[in-house]
């Protein structure tokens, strides 16, 4: 049996005490652009609560009534975290963290009831008469580096028939999400090539290609839910990139209305797509062949699709397409958090420490 504790021992050793906030820094492209302070800590009060730099409340009981206003208030070009606490409420606004605002940390009061939402979609016209396009349809744009979010819902409510409509578009080099929900249908969650994401205990739902892009992303104990027949992933991993999407100990389910055997694990948006499912539970909605070549046989020789120790009614290693892979235990150890994310990725406020 694969040992989860050993599998992530290198990550576990990075945890600090419950009275500290830890962040791992990345050297991305240029050290001068992303300075690395020698030490970054946050004082924690005796009641184990972090004092936020800004509080957002729709009812006016905070410093700001919109999330965008709080982000705008964060100083530019920071190298320490700016903490924004968001109270329960539905915030209908298109939100952008610009490239000059690194180290933004959003902390929601409650993931289910702290909702960042909008309803743009690719074919909708902007005031100038041009279309938003797929990438421009997002509710939330995360372009700052070292972005972290906890206990939030990112939603696009354009609807099932609207076509491409993103809940989030991630362009910042490194970001982390814990206990977040991403709601949409087609193209719910997108992150650009060359970026890195870690998602812990998150929920993502959608219909077609609803996790897509060219990033390196580690989905750790997440819940992935299909809203109709379609495809879960549409990776566009660049040629030569070591990792694409890694789903570790995830639960792959579907709405009760989704037919058995009607959802693919993925199809390659670009030829060198890489997707691996490790020790994940697959529902009966997963097709027996598992993967699709996007109507291009040539993709079968370049894409890398693999599973290790899948369980559930949708786990069927004997019927998967011949060009996919069933990993050995030894091969699976190549897909750890430490190897994919490294030691430079942003972490979270420690367990047991709340924010106010």
């Amino acid at each position: 049996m694969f040992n989860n504790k050993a599998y992530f021992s290198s990550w576990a050793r990075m945890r600090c005490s419950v009275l500290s906030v830890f962040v791992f820094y990345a050297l991305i492209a240029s050290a001068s652009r992303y300075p690395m302070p020698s030490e970054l800590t946050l004082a924690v009060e005796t009641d184990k609560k972090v004092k936020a730099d800004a509080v957002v409340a729709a009812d006016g009981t905070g410093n700001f009534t919109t999330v965008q206003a709080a982000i705008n208030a964060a100083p530019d070009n920071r190298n320490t975290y700016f903490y924004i606490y968001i109270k329960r409420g539905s915030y209908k606004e298109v939100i952008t963290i610009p490239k000059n605002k690194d180290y933004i940390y959003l902390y929601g009061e409650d993931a289910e009831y702290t909702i960042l939402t909008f309803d743009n979609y690719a074919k909708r016209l902007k005031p100038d008469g041009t279309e938003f396009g797929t990438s421009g349809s997002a509710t939330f744009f995360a372009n700052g580096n070292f972005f972290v979010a906890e206990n939030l819902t990112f939603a696009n409510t354009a609807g099932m028939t609207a076509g491409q409509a993103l809940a989030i578009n991630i362009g910042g080099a490194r970001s982390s999400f814990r206990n977040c929900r991403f709601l949409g249908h087609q193209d719910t969650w997108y992150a650009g090539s060359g970026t890195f994401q870690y998602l812990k205990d998150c929920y993502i739902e959608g219909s077609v290609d609803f996790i897509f892009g060219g990033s390196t992303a580690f989905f750790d104990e997440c819940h992935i839910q299909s809203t109709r027949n379609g495809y879960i992933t549409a990776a566009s991993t660049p040629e030569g990139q070591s990792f694409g999407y890694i789903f570790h100990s995830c639960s792959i389910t579907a709405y009760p209305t989704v037919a058995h055997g009607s959802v693919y694990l993925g199809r390659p948006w670009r030829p060198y797509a890489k997707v691996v499912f490790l020790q994940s539970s697959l529902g009966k909605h997963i097709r027996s062949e598992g993967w699709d070549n996007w109507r291009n046989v040539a993709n079968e020789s370049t894409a890398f699709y693999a599973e290790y120790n899948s369980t559930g009614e949708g786990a069927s290693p004997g019927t998967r397409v011949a060009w996919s892979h069933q990993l050995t235990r030894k091969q699976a150890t190549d897909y750890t958090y430490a190897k994919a994310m490294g030691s430079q990725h942003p972490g979270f406020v420690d367990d047991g420490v709340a924010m106010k």
Side-chain angles (χ1 to χ4, degrees):
M1 187 66 185
F2 199 74
N3 189 326
N4 265 348
K5 291 182 179 178
Y7 192 80
F8 280 96
S9 60
S10 60
W11 168 243
R13 287 194 297 268
M14 296 177 192
R15 303 292 290 176
C16 300
S17 75
V18 296
L19 297 181
S20 66
V21 176
F22 61 90
V23 181
F24 301 108
Y25 303 96
L27 288 172
I28 308 294
S30 168
S32 61
R33 182 178 177 188
Y34 298 118
M36 295 177 61
S38 59
E39 183 177 337
L40 186 66
T41 60
L42 183 72
V44 179
E45 299 174 8
T46 56
D47 62 355
K48 297 184 180 180
K49 289 188 177 181
V50 173
K51 183 174 176 57
D53 296 292
V55 176
V56 181
D59 62 5
T61 58
N63 308 113
F64 304 94
T65 57
T66 68
V67 177
Q68 188 64 63
I71 291 170
N72 292 347
D76 295 344
N77 304 312
R78 286 176 66 92
N79 59 11
T80 59
Y81 269 101
F82 188 85
Y83 292 86
I84 299 174
Y85 180 67
I86 307 173
K87 292 188 177 183
R88 284 188 179 197
S90 182
Y91 300 86
K92 187 173 183 180
E93 50 180 314
V94 175
I95 301 165
T96 300
I97 297 179
K99 291 181 178 180
N100 64 338
K101 291 188 185 291
D102 296 338
Y103 299 100
I104 296 292
Y105 199 123
L106 300 185
Y107 191 101
E109 182 177 3
D110 180 288
E112 186 174 358
Y113 298 105
T114 310
I115 305 168
L116 315 181
T117 183
F118 212 77
D119 55 5
N120 282 333
Y121 52 92
K123 295 295 185 182
R124 173 179 267 181
L125 298 182
K126 295 186 286 189
D128 64 4
T130 62
E131 296 180 351
F132 278 96
T134 300
S135 62
S137 68
T139 296
F140 194 99
F141 296 86
N143 295 324
N145 196 19
F146 306 118
F147 170 62
V148 181
E150 289 198 66
N151 308 327
L152 291 170
T153 291
F154 300 84
N156 189 310
T157 59
M160 179 81 77
T161 61
Q164 296 96 330
L166 280 62
I168 191 167
N169 180 333
I170 304 169
R174 288 184 178 263
S175 53
S176 294
F177 303 84
R178 182 166 64 174
N179 192 32
C180 287
R181 302 163 74 236
F182 302 89
L183 310 182
H185 293 286
Q186 185 173 355
D187 295 359
T188 304
W189 187 97
Y190 169 78
S193 296
T195 64
F196 294 77
Q197 298 80 41
Y198 176 61
L199 295 91
K200 174 68 174 176
D201 296 327
C202 290
Y203 173 87
I204 307 174
E205 73 170 28
S207 57
V208 176
D209 306 334
F210 62 95
I211 299 174
F212 77 112
S215 73
T216 297
F218 197 102
F219 302 85
D220 191 6
E221 298 182 322
C222 292
H223 182 184
I224 312 299
Q225 177 135 291
S226 292
T227 61
R228 51 155 275 196
N229 63 300
Y231 309 83
I232 295 173
T233 66
S236 57
T237 317
E239 183 178 5
Q241 184 170 295
S242 298
F243 301 96
Y245 297 154
I246 301 171
F247 295 86
H248 169 256
S249 295
C250 290
S251 176
I252 314 301
T253 66
Y255 281 12
T257 53
V258 178
H260 300 179
S262 65
V263 175
Y264 290 93
L265 293 172
R267 59 178 179 171
W269 185 24
R270 295 291 183 270
Y272 292 90
K274 292 182 180 179
V275 182
V276 177
F277 284 83
L278 303 171
Q279 294 184 299
S280 292
S281 174
L282 312 183
K284 57 190 175 184
H285 63 298
I286 297 300
R287 295 180 66 105
S288 60
E289 62 266 50
W291 310 93
D292 179 75
N293 66 12
W294 207 315
R295 301 183 302 278
N296 187 349
V297 175
N299 287 333
E300 298 178 7
S301 62
T302 53
F304 184 84
Y305 288 145
E307 297 171 70
Y308 171 72
N309 198 24
S310 293
T311 60
E313 294 180 81
S316 183
T319 63
R320 294 295 192 244
V321 292
W323 46 278
S324 65
H325 306 268
Q326 296 294 318
L327 302 178
T328 66
R329 180 179 178 179
K330 182 178 180 181
Q331 289 171 331
T333 62
D334 290 333
Y335 298 92
T336 63
Y337 171 94
K339 290 181 179 179
M341 296 289 104
S343 62
Q344 304 164 340
H345 202 73
F348 306 104
V349 169
D350 257 353
D351 294 333
V353 179
M355 189 173 292
K356 69 173 185 177

